[in-house]
Amino acid sequence: MIARPFGPTGASVPVIGQGTWNVPTRGAAADAAKAALRAGIERGMVHIDTAEMYGDGAAEELVGAAIAGLPRESLFIVSKVLPSNATAHGTIAACERSLRRMGLDYLDCYLLHWRGTVPLRETMHALERLVADGKIRALGVSNFDVDDLKEAHAVLEREPIACNQVLYHLNERTIEDHEIPYAREHDIATVAYTPFGRGAYERAAGYPALVEIAQRRGVTPAQIVLAFLTREPDTFAIPKAASIAHTDENAAAGDLQLEPAEIDAIDRAFPAGRRRGGLPSL
Ligand code: NAP
């Protein structure tokens, strides 16, 4: 699996990780999802993305069960604080709850899930306090546009922004003209969430071009999607999969490097377009 520096953290992180939003958290489906996560880790997808929001903490508990017994240093665990909890004290308390649910001493990166009404300065300073206390190794943000990133930079006193986790898929590429250039200039990792865009690429006019490339390479269109989104040296993707078949496929995409001609063909089939309005999010 191709790995690359995760922003300024010093960590080398595989390009494909694993999401946990809407992961089943009860019964046999939860057991299957846990097995899929564990299989994904064994195949190199050690970057696990979760959040206190997902299943009201149940997704974090599932992650805790999936990683139990694995060497901590081999994992890259990311969680997120809800904006409504992101006060000076609330951020610390939320992080401690997340750590408890996952049975961890520290998170590799902890993000503000999206901007709410708590002043950014308060949240960023709480995240810096968590780094100083050793509860998180790095801090990051999610759903931040360029102005938000600039504001975060202005209020942070000691720590860099490790990543910006944003909506990025073949039908939503406008971050390529906005947030990605800013992130590149400031050594911030860009993490693509919802990389399959709820299957929109399969219904798009450009789909046959994707199928053609996939067939030529002997892989699936989903794998080509992941390879395209992680084609640049500072982007990562965190698909969610609830089955080992999907997990296997996603992990194998982490070894796939597209040729310039293939990238051009996908670029033509799924043009980036111009942004209308603000940063797209789910
Ligand atoms: P996604 O990963 O784009 O799509 C998940 C869907 O794709 C599931 O139905 C899954 O099926 C299917 N799938 C997985 N691998 C596949 C493959 N190889 N071939 C075909 N289908 C495949 O959507 P997402 O869960 O919205 O986004 C991924 C992660 O990003 C989330 O889980 C979450 O961790 C994060 N996220 C963050 C934010 C934020 O605001 N920061 C927002 C949304 C998402 P199965 O489940 O049946 O395997």
Side-chain angles (χ1 to χ4, degrees):
M1 164 99 53
I2 298 164
R4 53 181 54 142
F6 194 81
T9 61
S12 180
V13 173
V15 290
I16 310 296
Q18 305 191 76
T20 61
W21 190 27
N22 288 328
V23 82
T25 52
R26 284 209 210 136
D31 291 341
K34 187 172 75 180
L37 267 178
R38 181 85 172 205
I41 293 168
E42 281 158 12
R43 286 154 181 69
M45 295 192 293
V46 297
H47 171 185
I48 311 288
D49 178 73
T50 191
E52 61 170 337
M53 185 187 102
Y54 301 161
D56 276 335
E60 290 181 327
E61 285 169 4
L62 188 93
V63 169
I67 63 176
L70 294 174
R72 179 65 186 89
E73 287 298 324
S74 68
L75 301 165
F76 193 84
I77 309 292
V78 178
S79 191
K80 316 184 198 77
V81 59
L82 275 169
S84 52
N85 285 337
T87 58
H89 294 298
T91 304
I92 311 276
C95 179
E96 286 170 349
R97 286 194 300 272
S98 292
L99 288 171
R100 258 196 312 278
R101 286 185 203 109
M102 290 188 271
L104 294 175
D105 297 330
Y106 70 91
L107 296 173
D108 293 278
C109 198
Y110 194 42
L111 322 183
L112 173 59
H113 208 146
W114 66 90
R115 274 195 83 167
T117 54
V118 176
L120 202 52
R121 176 184 299 274
E122 191 174 333
T123 309
M124 292 297 128
H125 288 180
L127 292 174
E128 288 186 314
R129 156 83 16 227
L130 285 166
V131 176
D133 291 347
K135 290 180 180 157
I136 66 175
R137 292 252 165 111
L139 63 84
V141 295
S142 178
N143 297 300
F144 268 39
D145 67 13
V146 171
D147 286 344
D148 294 328
L149 290 168
K150 284 182 183 165
E151 205 179 318
H153 269 142
V155 297
L156 281 163
E157 289 176 354
R158 295 186 298 271
E159 294 299 326
I161 302 171
C163 71
N164 187 21
Q165 190 183 114
V166 280
L167 180 66
Y168 184 34
H169 56 81
L170 284 189
N171 305 86
E172 182 42 73
R173 295 179 51 199
T174 65
I175 63 162
E176 292 176 15
D177 288 332
H178 297 265
E179 287 70 29
I180 288 184
Y182 182 89
R184 189 156 298 152
E185 195 183 329
H186 293 87
D187 194 20
I188 300 171
T190 296
V191 180
Y193 76 66
T194 315
F196 297 129
R198 303 197 157 155
Y201 68 91
E202 291 171 325
R203 301 183 291 275
Y207 186 56
L210 204 61
V211 172
E212 197 188 311
I213 296 167
Q215 282 174 349
R216 219 175 23 238
R217 296 289 289 252
V219 300
T220 66
Q223 289 175 305
I224 298 290
V225 169
L226 294 177
F228 183 79
L229 299 179
T230 56
R231 70 198 181 283
E232 299 287 352
D234 46 9
T235 54
F236 300 79
I238 45 166
K240 171 252 175 190
S243 69
I244 291 184
H246 279 165
T247 298
D248 278 346
E249 220 178 292
N250 297 343
D255 292 319
L256 201 56
Q257 265 177 313
L258 297 176
E259 299 296 332
E262 294 170 329
I263 291 173
D264 288 347
I266 297 168
D267 196 40
R268 284 193 301 275
F270 293 86
R274 308 228 357 223
R275 180 173 292 174
R276 296 188 181 82
L279 173 72
S281 63
L282 281 192

